[in-house]
Amino acid sequence: MSADAFTRTDLTRILLEAAGAEEGFDLDGDVLDTEFTALGYESLALLETAGRIERTYGIALDDDLLTDALTPRALIGVVNDLLTVARTV
Amino acid sequence: MSTATVVVTGLGVASPTGLGTREHWAATCEGRSGIGRLTRFDPSGYPAKLAGEITGFTAEEHLPSRLIPQTDRVTRLALAATDWALADAGVRPDELASFDMGVVTASASGGFEFGQNELRKLWSQGSQHVSAYQSFAWFYAVNSGQISIRNGMMGPSGVVVSDQAGGLDAVAQARRLIRKGTRLVVSGGVDASLCPWGWVAQLAGGRLSTSEDPARAYLPFDPDARGYVPGEGGAILILEAAEAARARGAHSYGEIAGYGATFDPKPGSGRPPGLRKAVELALADAGAEPSDVDVVFADAAGDPELDRAEADALTQVFGPRGVPVSGPKTMTGRLYSGAASLDLATALLALRDGIVPAAVNVKLSPEYDIDLVVDQPRRLGLRTALVLARGYGGFNSAVVLRAPAPH
């Protein structure tokens, strides 16, 4: 996929495919700065989500990224940084 | 370890004869078979083409979206059946202490369809394309694991792998755990691997019927017996100590009164098969005489040699035509670990209603001197049932069920 940017919509779509949604959470709501663990996504769900992002966008995410207190905003940022690097190389 | 009475307080059925206990039992009493030509994939290239498929199960209607990407069909069926069984028992897991609830299921294959899809991706696209969930979604213990996670059950848990016998062995292990002090155990078995990979694995066992006529393919104890038709599904049972169940005012389907398990001798040893001994052990454990048994749910292999061994064991223990024998598997096919669990559920319903389901399509061979119930179900007063199961490779298990004492 040659998207210019990795958007919140992209993340929500991949997240739903990879791990579904916890009942009671609206991924389109005010959750950008909520940690994934608080949204019900444990490490394995994040591993699956990261794998799908890597395959879709042809990038490699650092494994350490998933062990931190990761939020949707942070993940979108990291992916976009990598896409920018990939475009400028 | 105590010898506390352990009872079944909830049933959850997912079977080719129906989703839910009511539907399954109605079809079983009416003799409606769930066996037909495979629809999950095109079976025309394989020697066996019939199966007992579950129809009308849409996982999304029963489970949250979080569970869909990480589960195989077998686990989705097991989770739904567990929900039904808990509801039937009137148990709300969030009202009990996590460590007071355990899960012991039986499994013969795990999540084959999930595994097939991931192996296909590995082979065609590379390891990066394999789902992280493949780490557990295929695994034998996956049903026990997902049931325990979904319901917050952190007590003693495990999985038993002994093919068909597992459906009884799991319940026996659950009974042990309750006698050691666990408050409630979810048990039973569900197997489902009607995908091409699962199919060739089943074909490799060499006992599948290759008949293409659903009415002539699986005929245990019949002169035309020629193997079995496999199926998918099984049953989940909620087990509790009778005293605890009574204390909370729960309904009981009956008691797991006795259990016996043996292993067949090495082929060619000249020693007899172990099924008879398993029956005797189960009766002794239940403190029951053969004359106490009102109905036997047969393993019903549909293989002439295995049918002979089972008929001999029954005749030796109960005498010629000494007890009514039921074969409801003829309507579902053999469900591997789900088979004996489903037979336990069916037997408990038989005790409740005083109805012995008939084996469908079967004409009893004159070679066997057993009282096989065919054509029509038989109405009888039933107090005690014996359920038999044999697993590929020599497993024999037997469970004695006793109806609840009348009030």
Side-chain angles (χ1 to χ4, degrees), chain A residues 55-78:
Chain A
R55 299 197 300 262
T56 306
Y57 293 92
I59 57 174
L61 293 166
D62 193 337
D63 283 350
D64 292 342
L65 177 75
L66 304 177
T67 60
D68 293 337
L70 188 65
T71 63
R73 192 189 300 280
L75 179 58
I76 291 168
V78 170

Side-chain angles (χ1 to χ4, degrees), chain B residues 107-312:
Chain B
S107 173
S109 59
F112 261 48
E113 190 166 27
F114 195 104
Q116 175 180 335
N117 287 337
E118 299 312 313
L119 288 175
R120 182 192 289 124
K121 287 187 220 163
L122 175 68
W123 182 73
S124 61
Q125 294 169 278
S127 61
Q128 289 298 314
H129 291 260
V130 177
S131 165
Y133 304 125
Q134 171 65 1
S135 56
F136 59 75
W138 72 274
F139 189 50
Y140 295 112
V142 66
N143 290 352
S144 284
Q146 291 283 18
I147 291 167
S148 73
I149 293 167
R150 175 163 164 80
N151 296 290
M153 298 173 165
M154 298 168 79
S157 296
V159 62
V160 178
V161 180
S162 44
D163 189 33
Q164 300 258 130
L168 301 185
D169 297 336
V171 164
Q173 173 64 3
R175 187 177 69 152
R176 278 180 213 114
L177 294 175
I178 287 170
R179 287 178 166 179
K180 286 181 183 170
T182 299
R183 168 78 185 70
L184 174 150
V185 180
V186 175
S187 192
V190 176
D191 262 319
S193 35
L194 300 182
C195 61
W197 184 31
W199 200 242
V200 293
Q202 294 176 57
L203 282 164
R207 291 177 181 170
L208 260 55
S209 169
T210 53
S211 166
E212 296 186 29
D213 177 357
R216 300 304 299 159
Y218 175 34
L219 301 169
F221 305 114
D222 187 291
D224 292 339
R226 52 179 299 177
Y228 68 88
V229 172
E232 61 177 350
I236 296 293
L237 294 80
I238 308 301
L239 271 62
E240 301 176 72
E243 206 172 310
R246 209 178 301 119
R248 70 177 185 87
H251 160 263
S252 163
Y253 284 96
E255 176 196 352
I256 308 294
Y259 167 69
T262 62
F263 202 71
D264 281 334
K266 188 172 137 184
S269 72
R271 289 185 288 136
L275 185 62
R276 175 184 180 175
K277 185 72 182 169
V279 171
E280 290 168 348
L281 288 169
L283 289 172
D285 183 35
E289 298 296 324
S291 58
D292 295 329
V293 175
D294 301 310
V295 59
V296 173
F297 283 74
D299 176 58
D303 167 277
E305 198 179 326
L306 289 164
D307 286 351
R308 160 58 63 200
E310 184 164 36
D312 285 350

